[in-house]
Amino acid sequence: MFISQELRKTNIAEYLLYMWQVENIIRAFDCSLTRIRKEYIARFDYTDEQKEELTDWYGHLIRMMNQEGCREHGHLQINKVTMQTLVELHTQLLASTKFPFYNAEYYRVLPYIVELRNRGANKDENEIETCFNSLYGVMMLRLQKKEISTNTEHAIKEITTFLGMLSDYYKKDKEEGLKFE
């Protein structure tokens, strides 16, 4: 909760990846708030008040996962809305002539996106989702200490730069408002 609040303000891409990880943490504990409190939250060096806040937050997310039917897979609506907002911003940035660096970066990573999408199960997902799914997949492989090919490492580095740029524009749009015309 504390991390997500900070990331939402500073880096929307990292926020979304973090929230996907939170969804999977909840699933790993069988959507049981009791288990999350005892086996996960208890390990953190937080005050009792902070642990209660965190427990409430996880409880709220578990209720949402139950109500939205994503106990076993899929993403919470709040995360889907964030993704859709990023997709819409991406579309606006590409359509505008005022963001040539973003356009250049997009066309630089497009071959990687196409290749990753062709390898994936869902060939109809949008390009931004493909980028996020790729980053999350590599993050999971790293956590499992599995080998990542040099080509994949390179693609992920490029995609990270691209999503970082999108995230920066998101922040700037929220703080100042971007002018697309």
Side-chain angles (χ1 to χ4, degrees), residues 3-146:
I3 295 169
S4 72
Q5 289 171 339
E6 186 59 31
L7 286 176
R8 184 152 183 95
K9 289 182 234 169
T10 59
N11 189 317
I12 197 68
E14 287 181 13
Y15 164 80
L16 192 55
L17 291 169
Y18 177 79
M19 289 304 295
W20 285 6
Q21 187 177 19
V22 166
E23 290 169 340
N24 283 332
I25 288 168
I26 290 169
R27 290 181 186 114
F29 289 101
D30 301 317
C31 296
S32 166
L33 185 58
T34 303
R35 284 192 61 205
I36 289 171
R37 185 184 310 117
K38 288 181 183 175
E39 299 172 39
Y40 185 67
I41 295 172
R43 297 187 304 186
F44 294 108
D45 188 27
Y46 289 144
T47 65
D48 289 342
E49 185 179 309
Q50 288 173 316
K51 286 180 181 179
E52 276 307 308
E53 280 184 68
L54 201 53
T55 299
D56 289 346
W57 185 67
Y58 272 99
H60 181 68
L61 292 174
I62 291 168
R63 279 189 298 284
M64 289 168 55
M65 288 174 76
N66 286 328
Q67 291 168 350
E68 295 175 21
C70 56
R71 279 180 65 98
E72 294 175 24
H73 55 80
H75 298 295
L76 287 165
Q77 193 61 35
I78 57 172
N79 295 332
K80 289 178 184 178
V81 168
T82 300
M83 176 66 74
Q84 187 57 40
T85 302
L86 289 171
V87 168
E88 289 168 7
L89 177 60
H90 166 71
T91 303
Q92 289 177 301
L93 290 167
L94 286 181
S96 175
T97 58
K98 290 194 169 199
F99 304 96
F101 294 112
Y102 184 82
N103 271 273
E105 189 64 30
Y106 167 71
Y107 285 107
R108 211 159 73 80
V109 300
L110 186 57
Y112 301 116
I113 295 170
V114 170
E115 184 179 339
L116 289 165
R117 186 187 300 157
N118 287 337
R119 280 196 226 159
N122 186 358
K123 295 186 186 349
D124 294 329
E125 73 186 4
N126 68 64
E127 295 160 336
I128 301 302
E129 226 172 327
T130 298
C131 291
F132 274 96
N133 283 329
S134 300
L135 286 181
Y136 193 78
V138 168
M139 189 172 82
M140 290 296 104
L141 290 173
R142 286 182 178 141
L143 285 172
Q144 297 166 21
K145 303 203 184 313
K146 292 189 177 173

